[in-house]
Amino acid sequence: MGLITLAASAQSTFELPLWPQGTPNDNGDKQDTAKVFVYLPDSKAATGRAIVICPGGGYCMLAMEHEGKQWAPFFNNMGIATIVLKYRMPHGNKEVPFTDAEAAMKLVRANARKWHIDPNNVGIMGSSAGGHLASTIATRATGQAKPNFQILFYPVITMMPGFTHQGSHDFLLGKDAKKKDEKEYSNDMRVTRATPRAWIALSDDDNVVIPANGANYYNELYRHDVPASLHIYPTGGHGWGIRTDFKFHTPMLMELESWLRSF
């Protein structure tokens, strides 16, 4: 996979299979394939920055549009390449989505020159369970799979009972998950000084993924001297993504753009 260096040709939007030579970490579902949707800004406007997006869906489905593909124009207008990941569901194999996300990061860097991307400026973004996936890559991945920054929307962070999103927990680890697995995939426990900088947004009235997930992750980033920005909106609930009916849609985009331009 790491040797794939397909050019974007004349088009700025295209899709690629993530595992053309065969899929590792089988999840038992041959119809569940991984791919990336690539949205490149005009080469003259490209800043060299890229973002790999992991949509949410509780590790049982994917909200590919408002938490994925619909973000492309916003980032492309800033000269940022956008790569939306359609990752596989665990189906009992917890390593499957993480294998896909790491492969997507490596794929972007393998094509960095042809896609006008700086390999040292590749971030990862995720919403809800996709935020868990993104923060897992941010705290676990190494080498070419490690992101330079992370963007998290109302993320699932912990797998610990009482604070986790139970659906994401059960679909990823199983209803009878072992305590060691719950700790291993609780990303607030995995923050170090080497964790990449973060922008985190959530709603105070989110009753699906409780705000303590994102807030506790921010606290650990702060405690380890990792630059981070936390935005808690008073209303909005869960799952708003880039939908314009989110009351704080415009200020949220302005704050995210300001943060991205700050480094």
Side-chain angles (χ1 to χ4, degrees), residues 21-127:
Q21 305 303 320
T23 304
N25 288 333
D26 184 20
N27 69 355
D29 185 353
K30 299 300 182 184
Q31 303 302 314
D32 187 15
T33 58
K35 64 176 71 175
V36 291
F37 298 87
V38 182
Y39 303 84
L40 301 179
D42 183 275
S43 59
K44 296 180 180 178
T47 62
R49 177 167 286 172
I51 295 175
V52 173
I53 299 179
C54 306
Y59 286 123
C60 65
M61 56 167 286
L62 290 177
M64 289 295 294
E65 299 302 322
H66 73 286
E67 291 180 351
K69 298 176 181 179
Q70 292 173 7
W71 276 98
F74 171 77
F75 291 124
N76 282 177
N77 287 339
M78 295 178 63
I80 300 173
T82 307
I83 298 86
V84 181
L85 172 63
K86 188 269 178 189
Y87 56 93
R88 294 170 296 147
M89 299 298 99
H91 295 314
N93 185 343
K94 59 182 179 294
E95 288 301 318
V96 165
F98 309 110
T99 300
D100 290 350
E102 288 190 337
M105 294 294 295
K106 293 176 182 178
L107 178 63
V108 172
R109 289 190 167 112
N111 286 278
R113 177 170 294 184
K114 294 182 179 181
W115 293 355
H116 304 285
I117 291 170
D118 176 359
N120 296 312
N121 200 356
V122 181
I124 195 164
M125 169 176 146
S127 301

Side-chain angles (χ1 to χ4, degrees), residues 56-201:
Y59 286 123
C60 65
M61 56 167 286
L62 290 177
M64 289 295 294
E65 299 302 322
H66 73 286
E67 291 180 351
K69 298 176 181 179
Q70 292 173 7
W71 276 98
F74 171 77
F75 291 124
N76 282 177
N77 287 339
M78 295 178 63
I80 300 173
T82 307
I83 298 86
V84 181
L85 172 63
K86 188 269 178 189
Y87 56 93
R88 294 170 296 147
M89 299 298 99
H91 295 314
N93 185 343
K94 59 182 179 294
E95 288 301 318
V96 165
F98 309 110
T99 300
D100 290 350
E102 288 190 337
M105 294 294 295
K106 293 176 182 178
L107 178 63
V108 172
R109 289 190 167 112
N111 286 278
R113 177 170 294 184
K114 294 182 179 181
W115 293 355
H116 304 285
I117 291 170
D118 176 359
N120 296 312
N121 200 356
V122 181
I124 195 164
M125 169 176 146
S127 301
S128 194
H132 181 264
L133 176 54
S135 60
T136 301
I137 299 302
T139 54
R140 286 180 53 171
T142 60
Q144 294 300 300
K146 185 178 180 63
N148 299 107
F149 60 93
Q150 55 183 317
I151 299 170
L152 308 176
F153 289 94
Y154 37 87
V156 177
I157 293 293
T158 184
M159 287 288 130
M160 300 305 292
F163 290 94
T164 189
H165 173 246
Q166 199 62 45
S168 298
H169 170 283
D170 293 351
F171 279 108
L172 180 67
L173 303 179
K175 293 182 179 180
D176 299 319
K178 297 178 180 179
K179 290 296 182 183
K180 67 178 185 64
D181 287 336
E182 290 177 335
K183 290 182 178 179
E184 181 180 356
Y185 288 93
S186 291
N187 296 327
D188 51 331
M189 298 183 182
R190 301 185 64 88
V191 174
T192 70
R193 291 178 181 271
T195 301
R197 68 177 66 225
W199 190 90
I200 307 165

